[in-house]
Amino acid sequence: MKTARNTIAKTKIQELIILSPIALSHSEIHKYLEGLCDRVTIYRVLDRLLEEGVIHKIVDVDGVIKYAGCHSCSTEHSHNHIHFSCQKCMSVTCLENVEPSFKLPKNYKVSEMNFTLSGLCPQCS
Amino acid sequence: MKTARNTIAKTKIQELIILSPIALSHSEIHKYLEGLCDRVTIYRVLDRLLEEGVIHKIVDVDGVIKYAGCHSCSTEHSHNHIHFSCQKCMSVTCLENVEPSFKLPKNYKVSEMNFTLSGLCPQCS
DNA sequence: ATTACATTTGCAACATTGTTGCATTAATAA
DNA sequence: TTATTAATGCAACAATGTTGCAAATGTAAT
Ligand SMILES: [Mn+2]
Ligand SMILES: [Mn+2]
Ligand SMILES: [Zn+2]
Ligand SMILES: [Zn+2]
């Protein structure tokens, strides 16, 4: 079997994302790490953290992919919540408690959803 | 004042998007046009069509940006509808009639939304 | 039809983002 | 401490998107 290893890069990246109040992009993580590891390593660590279910991926309104820690998915791993992207401070926040409702036409089978609102966050409005 | 011109490239791209039943990405449009114009021209034409309100932009679940014609926004220009991204045939469809409802915490001011579901479309399920 | 001119285009050059192969490094278990 | 193999660094590459500038082209006036 394949046994995961706790490397410095992985530990630091995980810590960074989990402790951050907002979702982070690859380039933001790269900046924060200040050369601790290679660009490519970050991509690979992010893939591993996603697989392990430690973090989840968010597609921002402009298509930029951001990563946020999983807080409320200890039992089951679902992220059917809304994300809010602030146009002023550029932060992306998980609104864990907000679940949208909608009525889909027949014969559509949903497996994932990505719902991002943009506008002004409480700090900026 | 700046007067828009109807060039061959613009006409063809607009036609392509409007007539398509699914949203198209830049690279898909590029393929369809078969060298009718440069890559860069497509980017610039898309920008113009967006500004003119002829098409709208959709961010797919994987962050790929797609373009779809505006059908039901003759009076006002809003796209608060759901988009469906099929994991099998990779099509992105506008579900113009499906509007999600949700209850946002106070002090969030929404100006735009991007709501994309992924799964299987009627044809593929 | 010809001219004038601003818009649009093509091309080159560049930046950013993401992926892959491979030799080297380093975490973990024996 | 040593053996094993996961993880990293680096180079090379592909895909996507942006910008500057000269050339081409659409449109309106003559
Ligand atoms: Mn989230
Ligand atoms: Mn749409
Ligand atoms: Zn803000
Ligand atoms: Zn399908």
Side-chain angles (χ1 to χ4, degrees):
Chain A
M1 65 272 144
K2 187 167 136 176
T3 345
R5 296 178 186 181
N6 291 321
T7 62
I8 305 170
K10 191 191 166 193
T11 309
K12 207 85 187 70
I13 293 170
Q14 178 166 347
E15 190 178 290
L16 205 60
I17 297 174
I18 298 294
L19 294 182
S20 174
I22 60 171
L24 301 174
S25 67
H26 173 276
S27 67
E28 288 167 337
I29 294 167
H30 188 57
K31 272 186 215 110
Y32 283 130
L33 292 182
E34 289 173 320
L36 177 97
C37 69
D38 194 74
R39 230 165 50 80
V40 180
T41 300
I42 300 177
Y43 282 116
R44 297 199 263 229
V45 166
L46 288 172
D47 282 343
R48 265 179 282 152
L49 292 176
L50 283 172
E51 268 181 54
E52 293 175 18
V54 180
I55 62 174
H56 65 282
K57 197 190 276 202
I58 303 158
V59 179
D60 204 351
V61 278
D62 48 3
V64 175
I65 290 172
K66 303 211 162 185
Y67 303 88
C70 292
H71 297 293
S72 50
C73 30
S74 41
T75 47
E76 55 172 317
H77 201 67
S78 79
H79 292 285
N80 294 342
H81 55 260
I82 290 181
H83 295 116
F84 193 89
S85 177
C86 179
Q87 291 168 331
K88 195 170 173 192
C89 70
M90 304 305 286
S91 66
V92 173
T93 323
C94 295
L95 303 178
E96 309 261 6
N97 301 320
V98 184
E99 284 207 24
S101 65
F102 48 89
K103 228 167 69 186
L104 223 53
K106 279 190 215 303
N107 297 325
Y108 280 98
K109 278 178 190 153
V110 179
S111 65
E112 263 186 272
M113 57 169 274
N114 196 291
F115 194 177
T116 307
L117 298 174
S118 67
L120 293 176
C121 76
Q123 280 78 34
C124 294
S125 65
Chain B
M1 64 278 147
K2 187 167 137 175
T3 344
R5 296 181 186 180
N6 292 321
T7 62
I8 306 169
K10 191 189 166 193
T11 309
K12 208 85 188 70
I13 293 171
Q14 177 166 347
E15 191 179 289
L16 205 61
I17 297 174
I18 298 295
L19 294 182
S20 174
I22 59 173
L24 302 174
S25 67
H26 172 276
S27 67
E28 288 167 338
I29 294 167
H30 188 56
K31 271 185 215 112
Y32 283 129
L33 292 182
E34 289 171 321
L36 177 98
C37 69
D38 194 73
R39 232 164 49 79
V40 180
T41 301
I42 301 177
Y43 282 116
R44 297 198 262 228
V45 167
L46 288 172
D47 282 344
R48 264 179 283 153
L49 292 175
L50 283 171
E51 267 181 54
E52 293 175 18
V54 179
I55 62 175
H56 65 283
K57 197 190 277 199
I58 303 159
V59 179
D60 204 351
V61 278
D62 48 5
V64 175
I65 290 171
K66 303 210 162 185
Y67 303 88
C70 292
H71 297 292
S72 49
C73 30
S74 41
T75 47
E76 55 173 315
H77 201 65
S78 80
H79 292 284
N80 293 343
H81 56 259
I82 290 181
H83 294 116
F84 194 89
S85 177
C86 180
Q87 291 168 330
K88 196 170 172 191
C89 70
M90 303 305 286
S91 66
V92 174
T93 323
C94 294
L95 302 179
E96 309 262 7
N97 302 320
V98 184
E99 283 208 26
S101 64
F102 48 89
K103 230 167 68 187
L104 222 53
K106 279 190 213 306
N107 297 325
Y108 279 98
K109 278 179 189 152
V110 179
S111 65
E112 262 186 272
M113 58 170 275
N114 196 291
F115 193 176
T116 307
L117 297 174
S118 66
L120 293 175
C121 76
Q123 280 78 35
C124 294
S125 65

